[in-house]
Amino acid sequence: MNKYIASVPLEKAFRLINHGATTLVSSRYGGIDNVMAAAWVCGLDYDPPKLTFVLDSQNKTRQLVEKSGMFAVQIPTLSQLELTHWLGTHSLYDDPQKLEHSGVELFSIEGFDVPLVCDCAAWLVCKVIPEPHNEQAYDLFIGEIIGAWADTRIFRNGHWQFENADASWRSLHYIAGGHFYTIGDAFDAKSE
Amino acid sequence: MNKYIASVPLEKAFRLINHGATTLVSSRYGGIDNVMAAAWVCGLDYDPPKLTFVLDSQNKTRQLVEKSGMFAVQIPTLSQLELTHWLGTHSLYDDPQKLEHSGVELFSIEGFDVPLVCDCAAWLVCKVIPEPHNEQAYDLFIGEIIGAWADTRIFRNGHWQFENADASWRSLHYIAGGHFYTIGDAFDAKSE
């Protein structure tokens, strides 16, 4: 594992997704790995930490997550803009070699049987809390965050370091039609 | 109504929240208005447009939303950093004059009985789709977006204009402890 990757305490895991970045979601089942882009991932609870993830049934990831009960949410950076968009606009259903064609590199963390995307800013491994009505009526999945890690060059001591790192590390925030924003400047509120 | 406020087609309403900005959520019931800050608001569907909103029972807003079945999600700007943090750290339960003390200014749009916060970048009026299990087990509310508006100085023709407007218009993305980021630079993916 990359020497810069460090575990994030689960009670601080929400900070990795609280600013609303677009994510990459990876999954594995029956020897098949996949990675998709997802903007609709959101914090749900602090303790135990949970998140919501909207996962349409048109995505192959849906099948893998339903069968494995696991997925990983990753925070890609500006360096991964093209990769993120490519993974979000190509389906494993249409291209069984999607991952090879995307150029994505994967790694694993011991004890968690889910593929992780190299060079992201952060990784959250989630276990599905089954809620069949939400999944069927809304494509809405709830995940408990059971492991969290970040690259210490951009998140350390519980804090994002966007203001202290190269702009290539900034998180991506998708709108539509291939148009993204990166996260911007830092501000601290003075009011108590 | 401010001459810059224009209706946004409902099929494009998701673009107002897709980049994961921290929001202000307003509500009204029985002559009581309230406004809170909420980072855990997220797109759920395009057509009809829906969003999710995590609303803890410690918030007075929970009571108002449960009784009225409505709420409004707003996108505050950097100009409203202190207001947003103040509204997010003070409760109407502790201070019945919270809104007066916050200095927030409200307005209304005809046909929608919910208070709206002046000077935001965008407004989405939502009707609760009742899901008692989600609300009780997860504090998770689902809203159908029944009206959407934006300030044309920062969102027009279906597109955010962050890259073309003064930095004071940028959306806020909360982490924790009074620490925010604004949205940053624009990038277009080249890949199809």
Side-chain angles (χ1 to χ4, degrees):
Chain A
M1 193 162 80
N2 181 325
K3 67 178 177 177
Y4 296 108
I5 299 177
S7 179
V8 173
L10 286 179
E11 67 270 20
K12 290 190 174 162
F14 77 93
R15 296 184 180 191
L16 300 173
I17 56 168
N18 217 60
H19 65 305
T22 293
T23 69
L24 291 174
V25 177
S26 54
S27 54
R28 168 179 292 162
Y29 183 78
I32 299 174
D33 287 355
N34 199 14
V35 185
M36 63 179 282
W40 292 354
V41 166
C42 187
L44 175 64
D45 205 352
Y46 298 105
D47 183 26
K50 300 185 193 80
L51 54 75
T52 54
F53 166 34
V54 181
L55 177 53
D56 194 278
S57 56
Q58 288 184 348
N59 295 304
K60 176 75 176 176
T61 298
R62 173 76 171 254
Q63 209 182 80
L64 304 181
V65 169
E66 285 183 337
K67 290 188 173 169
S68 69
M70 282 186 74
F71 59 94
V73 170
Q74 280 115 147
I75 307 297
T77 70
L78 178 56
S79 297
Q80 296 167 305
L81 172 75
E82 295 296 336
L83 175 67
T84 300
H85 193 244
W86 201 95
L87 289 167
T89 51
H90 291 77
S91 174
L92 200 66
Y93 281 132
D94 301 326
D95 177 3
Q97 291 187 283
K98 171 180 170 179
L99 294 196
E100 291 84 334
H101 292 155
S102 75
V104 70
E105 289 183 68
L106 303 174
F107 72 106
S108 293
I109 290 180
E110 205 182 321
F112 299 90
D113 191 21
V114 62
L116 301 173
V117 177
C118 291
D119 304 324
C120 285
W123 301 263
L124 301 104
V125 173
C126 300
K127 185 180 164 184
V128 174
I129 297 175
E131 287 287 357
H133 169 67
N134 283 338
E135 295 160 16
Q136 285 155 33
Y138 300 110
D139 297 327
L140 178 66
F141 285 72
I142 295 178
E144 180 180 338
I145 302 166
I146 58 172
W149 299 265
D151 190 302
T152 53
R153 289 170 290 184
I154 193 62
F155 185 94
R156 57 181 176 268
N157 303 325
H159 298 282
W160 283 110
Q161 304 291 329
F162 294 121
E163 58 271 48
N164 304 317
D166 189 81
S168 63
W169 278 103
R170 298 207 170 211
S171 58
L172 299 168
H173 299 252
Y174 189 56
I175 307 293
H179 196 60
F180 290 82
Y181 290 93
T182 53
I183 198 65
D185 296 335
F187 293 88
D188 286 290
K190 296 180 193 79
S191 60
E192 288 299 311
Chain B
M1 194 163 78
N2 181 325
K3 67 179 177 176
Y4 295 108
I5 299 177
S7 180
V8 173
L10 287 180
E11 68 271 19
K12 290 191 175 162
F14 78 93
R15 296 185 180 190
L16 300 173
I17 56 168
N18 218 61
H19 66 304
T22 293
T23 69
L24 291 174
V25 176
S26 54
S27 54
R28 169 179 292 160
Y29 183 77
I32 300 175
D33 286 355
N34 199 14
V35 186
M36 64 179 280
W40 292 354
V41 167
C42 187
L44 175 65
D45 205 352
Y46 298 104
D47 183 26
K50 300 186 193 79
L51 54 76
T52 54
F53 166 35
V54 180
L55 177 54
D56 193 279
S57 57
Q58 288 184 348
N59 295 304
K60 176 75 175 177
T61 298
R62 173 77 172 253
Q63 207 182 81
L64 303 181
V65 169
E66 284 183 338
K67 289 188 173 167
S68 69
M70 283 186 73
F71 60 93
V73 170
Q74 281 116 144
I75 308 296
T77 70
L78 179 55
S79 298
Q80 296 167 305
L81 172 74
E82 295 297 336
L83 175 68
T84 300
H85 193 244
W86 202 95
L87 289 167
T89 51
H90 291 77
S91 173
L92 199 66
Y93 280 130
D94 302 324
D95 177 4
Q97 290 186 285
K98 171 180 169 178
L99 294 196
E100 291 85 332
H101 292 156
S102 75
V104 70
E105 289 183 67
L106 303 175
F107 72 105
S108 294
I109 291 180
E110 206 181 322
F112 298 91
D113 189 22
V114 62
L116 301 173
V117 176
C118 291
D119 304 324
C120 285
W123 302 263
L124 300 105
V125 174
C126 300
K127 184 180 164 186
V128 174
I129 297 176
E131 287 287 357
H133 169 66
N134 284 337
E135 296 161 16
Q136 284 155 32
Y138 301 110
D139 296 328
L140 178 66
F141 285 71
I142 294 177
E144 180 180 340
I145 302 166
I146 58 172
W149 299 264
D151 189 302
T152 53
R153 289 170 290 184
I154 193 62
F155 185 94
R156 56 181 176 270
N157 303 323
H159 298 283
W160 284 110
Q161 304 291 329
F162 295 120
E163 58 271 50
N164 305 317
D166 189 82
S168 64
W169 277 103
R170 298 209 170 209
S171 58
L172 299 168
H173 299 252
Y174 189 56
I175 307 292
H179 196 60
F180 291 82
Y181 291 93
T182 54
I183 198 65
D185 296 335
F187 294 87
D188 286 289
K190 295 180 194 80
S191 60
E192 285 301 309

